[in-house]
Amino acid sequence: MQRRRPRLLLVSPRHEFRNLWALKEMGRQMGRKVATTPLALPVLAALAPSTWEVRIVDEEMDEVPVRDSFDLVAFTTLSTNVERGYALARLFREAGIRVVMGGPYASTRTQEVLEHCDAVVVGEAEDLFGDLLSDVQNNRLQPVYQARSLPSPDRIPSPRWDLVDTRQVMALGVQVSRGCPHHCDFCLVHHLYGRRPRYRPLEAVLQEIRGLPGRFLSFVDDNLTARKDYARQLMAGLKPLEVQWSALASLEVTRDQDLLRDMAEAGCSSLVLGFESLTEEGLAEARKTQFRIDEYERAIEALHRAGIHCIGAFVLGFDSDGPEAYDAVREFARRNGLSYLMLNLLTVLEGTDLERRVTAEGRRIPLPPSFQNSLLPNKRGGRLPERETYDRFLDLLDHAYSWADLREKARRAFSFGGFRRAARVRPSLATKVSFSARLIRSYLLSRDPDKRGLFRDLYHMGRRGDVAMDQAAQFLMMAQGLRSYVDRLLARREELWGRYADALARVPPDAARPTRPGAGEAS
Ligand code: B12
């Protein structure tokens, strides 16, 4: 009798709280279940030998098949979804199925995670996953897998998107490099992936993009343009392809007008710049010393002139942040036409330098990991008490995403003429008609005069040729998606705080031990 193929299930558990920039509302408006889906799963699938039958489930999109039979179930974990992962793992293990966990949370809380599964993978999987699967087949699964060194970037495979229902995903992730030279206090990236960025061979990346089943991409690199020579070649390779994409980059890129122009022509529609703070004290706390605050305004304008939306990332809740820090971000955004704000409340994440520092000072609030969602404070001792921090943060979201602010900011961002060029990916006529009908209905029937006014402003700018109509339409969709997230969050303000207070009351007093990725714990 022929032996059946071993079966592997790869799962990303759903998140307890959704992040604004998970853009689920935007995905829904575009008729998709999600805006993005974790890249780790199709990458892991590509690392499995072809003898394995592999299935992928992102629980934000689909049910986890807890009654089916598998030889191994593998979970990718962030702080915000690990507890859901534990609950699912219990169901599989009760059915006698082995479970492995990896990803940022599992890599930094190895021993804790091991209590909920049979094996943990610390760090990147490229040099480990094949051996792990062979150990499963030979019944000799080890509790911890950890590579001695970071994998060579040419070992990073092209993801198995054929295993994902990509029609339900708005933008597909692409990774060009791993690692970040900076060492911001609150960030895990340099601990997990090292400080020397490793670049995949350019041709492999371009070939992957040419073969993607979608035209909207999201580069997940921490700084796509860190190596200028590579970035220029990448843009040259992207130009002939009809793709539209967003990415994260360092402010440095805005000093290079030629590269910015190349990026816009290659389909870059938005770029995340990590400003983090508008105060010297905040930046010093974060150890973010590479740029000066007085460069920020010029950087945003450079992007808008190039026809690229700036997504400004800010962290609030530094120890030195008083009420004025929140007002300053709103005012700065308004002045600079910064509609897209990635606002995060400073969150002490496992394995970071911030965690070690704050824990040593006895100031860490040991919340369950799912609460570490960048909305709720998890350290004490700053200028503002926790409840005020939370309220000011939610108020900032409310005000910065008010229709009045969005209207004013759109006027400025579109005033430079950068967005006259049509968006790179042209929607079909049917899509155009249905989206336009929905936008007209929702904006013109709104009771908010500024929401109606924003629509009218953009319509007139479009008629005058100051902005391409499809750029205007994409902006209106995005603004609507972001605002509806904020509305839902505000409606849950007290409920969320109540759950936070309950969680605090249940935390055991010894739960605040500091860790480093895999350090010591694994042995
Ligand atoms: C893109 C991104 C996002 C996107 C996610 C898009 C999506 N659906 O995936 C968005 C913007 C929505 C997002 C949101 C958040 N993010 Co984010 N994000 C990233 C980023 C930049 C890239 C992730 C990625 O795709 N990497 C590429 C894949 C291939 O790498 P990987 O996941 O690490 O997988 C490799 C290994 O870890 C390992 N592995 C992973 N899982 C498993 C499982 C098994 C079984 C095995 C064997 C191996 C394995 O193998 C893979 C290949 O080597 C990372 C930073 C980074 N450089 O990775 C932060 C990062 C993951 N985010 C982080 C955080 C904190 C968040 C937020 C809480 C808030 C915030 N401030 O950003 C929210 C939470 C999500 C939510 N509730 O919605 C932290 C996570 C820390 C933690 N302990 O959880 C990171 C590490 C950044 C940081 N600040 O340090 N994020």
Side-chain angles (χ1 to χ4, degrees):
M1 204 175 68
Q2 207 188 355
R3 218 170 152 258
R4 87 171 167 82
R5 289 169 74 195
R7 300 185 74 208
L8 167 67
L9 174 67
L10 296 166
V11 181
S12 173
R14 73 173 145 69
H15 295 267
E16 179 73 26
F17 302 98
R18 237 175 328 109
N19 187 270
L20 173 62
W21 285 92
L23 297 180
K24 199 149 183 177
E25 285 76 9
M26 179 69 183
R28 288 265 162 83
Q29 286 190 82
M30 301 278 283
R32 314 293 172 100
K33 282 187 184 168
V34 288
T36 55
T37 186
L39 184 56
L41 301 184
V43 166
L44 289 169
L47 294 172
S50 57
T51 44
W52 283 75
E53 187 185 318
V54 186
R55 186 162 165 196
I56 288 180
V57 174
D58 171 0
E59 209 189 356
E60 297 288 341
M61 291 167 70
D62 292 306
E63 299 272 306
V64 178
V66 286
R67 284 181 218 295
D68 289 6
S69 156
F70 298 93
D71 295 273
L72 183 72
V73 178
F75 290 91
T76 187
T77 60
L78 294 184
S79 307
T80 41
N81 68 2
V82 67
E83 288 166 274
R84 173 68 186 158
Y86 292 160
L88 291 167
R90 192 166 53 244
L91 298 176
F92 285 113
R93 294 178 91 199
E94 278 167 9
I97 296 172
R98 277 162 297 183
V99 169
V100 55
M101 293 192 172
Y105 190 85
S107 299
T108 47
R109 282 286 197 265
T110 313
Q111 285 308 322
E112 175 202 306
V113 172
L114 210 42
E115 286 165 25
H116 302 269
C117 62
D118 303 288
V120 171
V121 173
V122 177
E124 297 171 47
E126 278 70 9
D127 292 340
L128 302 168
F129 202 46
D131 289 347
L132 183 148
L133 292 178
S134 128
D135 287 351
V136 170
Q137 282 185 286
N138 295 313
N139 244 326
R140 50 164 198 238
L141 189 64
Q142 308 296 309
V144 177
Y145 291 78
Q146 180 168 13
R148 279 181 220 283
S149 56
L150 297 168
S152 160
D154 53 16
R155 307 245 321 133
I156 302 175
S158 285
R160 291 275 315 267
W161 287 116
D162 58 306
L163 299 176
V164 176
D165 183 1
T166 51
R167 289 163 311 177
Q168 302 297 346
V169 184
M170 192 172 78
L172 303 178
V174 176
Q175 188 166 40
V176 167
S177 63
R178 288 193 190 147
C180 177
H182 305 301
H183 58 133
C184 298
D185 190 47
F186 52 74
C187 187
L188 194 57
V189 168
H190 57 283
H191 293 294
L192 280 182
Y193 312 96
R195 287 187 66 178
R196 208 160 56 89
R198 289 160 289 143
Y199 281 77
R200 290 174 64 197
L202 180 71
E203 198 36 51
V205 172
L206 289 172
Q207 202 174 330
E208 176 181 319
I209 295 172
R210 284 186 211 110
L212 284 177
R215 299 290 88 196
F216 288 96
L217 324 179
S218 163
F219 285 101
V220 301
D221 302 67
D222 294 288
N223 181 2
L224 185 70
T225 52
R227 248 183 64 189
K228 292 283 178 53
D229 54 335
Y230 190 103
R232 276 184 228 287
Q233 290 174 38
L234 177 63
M235 297 314 136
L238 288 174
K239 270 186 202 173
L241 311 178
E242 200 196 317
V243 288
Q244 186 177 317
W245 48 273
S246 65
L248 289 81
S250 133
L251 187 143
E252 165 86 31
V253 68
T254 61
R255 295 183 187 137
D256 189 336
Q257 286 296 329
D258 291 343
L259 181 53
L260 280 188
R261 196 199 48 238
D262 285 349
M263 290 167 72
E265 287 172 3
C268 178
S269 58
S270 59
L271 214 51
V272 181
L273 297 187
F275 298 124
E276 322 306 359
S277 178
L278 291 174
T279 70
E280 299 295 347
E281 295 83 357
L283 290 180
E285 270 181 53
R287 276 205 322 241
K288 180 134 186 169
T289 48
Q290 56 271 38
F291 303 109
R292 294 195 327 267
I293 294 167
D294 60 15
E295 289 182 274
Y296 290 3
E297 305 211 343
R298 188 203 43 78
I300 298 167
E301 190 177 315
L303 284 188
H304 289 165
R305 281 188 188 280
I308 297 172
H309 285 288
C310 179
I311 304 179
F314 287 95
V315 174
L316 278 304
F318 288 111
D319 290 340
S320 52
D321 280 350
E324 68 290 343
Y326 297 77
D327 298 339
V329 170
R330 177 186 185 189
E331 207 30 61
F332 175 87
R334 206 156 48 183
R335 212 171 47 244
N336 291 289
L338 199 53
S339 296
Y340 299 161
L341 283 169
M342 196 175 261
L343 299 175
N344 287 304
L345 202 59
L346 182 61
T347 302
V348 183
L349 290 170
E350 301 80 5
T352 57
D353 296 336
L354 177 64
E355 186 199 31
R356 265 190 293 285
R357 181 162 64 83
V358 170
T359 308
E361 293 163 3
R363 299 198 290 128
R364 181 165 172 267
I365 303 177
L367 283 175
S370 63
F371 284 75
Q372 291 172 189
N373 51 17
S374 309
L375 296 169
L376 294 158
N378 67 344
K379 68 164 178 52
R380 293 197 175 87
R383 268 180 69 196
L384 298 179
E386 288 82 71
R387 177 72 210 218
E388 190 176 347
T389 300
Y390 173 72
D391 280 332
R392 286 198 182 272
F393 182 73
L394 262 54
D395 289 346
L396 172 61
L397 274 169
D398 186 16
H399 298 147
Y401 281 108
S402 66
W403 291 109
D405 279 29
L406 286 167
R407 183 179 184 191
E408 195 178 323
K409 294 191 282 198
R411 273 202 214 121
R412 174 158 172 95
F414 289 121
S415 70
F416 302 110
F419 296 91
R420 285 196 187 115
R421 186 191 300 111
R424 189 84 176 141
V425 176
R426 307 269 170 90
S428 67
L429 186 64
T431 313
K432 256 189 201 166
V433 172
S434 93
F435 284 175
S436 310
R438 248 187 290 160
L439 282 177
I440 292 170
R441 222 180 14 249
S442 122
Y443 275 84
L444 289 185
L445 297 183
S446 165
R447 274 189 300 200
D448 189 312
D450 284 308
K451 186 172 179 188
R452 295 196 304 274
L454 170 63
F455 184 92
R456 275 200 310 274
D457 289 353
L458 285 183
Y459 178 74
H460 291 307
M461 289 177 104
R463 287 292 298 270
R464 286 199 303 270
D466 293 343
V467 55
M469 279 295 187
D470 59 355
Q471 294 273 11
Q474 280 189 9
F475 180 85
L476 290 172
M477 303 256 290
M478 191 77 170
Q480 170 130 309
L482 293 166
R483 180 67 227 183
S484 69
Y485 171 95
V486 172
D487 281 337
R488 275 177 220 203
L489 180 62
L490 292 172
R492 295 182 60 198
R493 184 191 289 246
E494 291 310 318
E495 178 221 318
L496 220 61
W497 186 261
R499 289 178 62 189
Y500 171 78
D502 287 350
L504 274 186
R506 286 197 305 269
V507 176
D510 67 340
R513 51 179 209 283
T515 52
R516 242 178 320 118
E521 286 192 309
S523 52

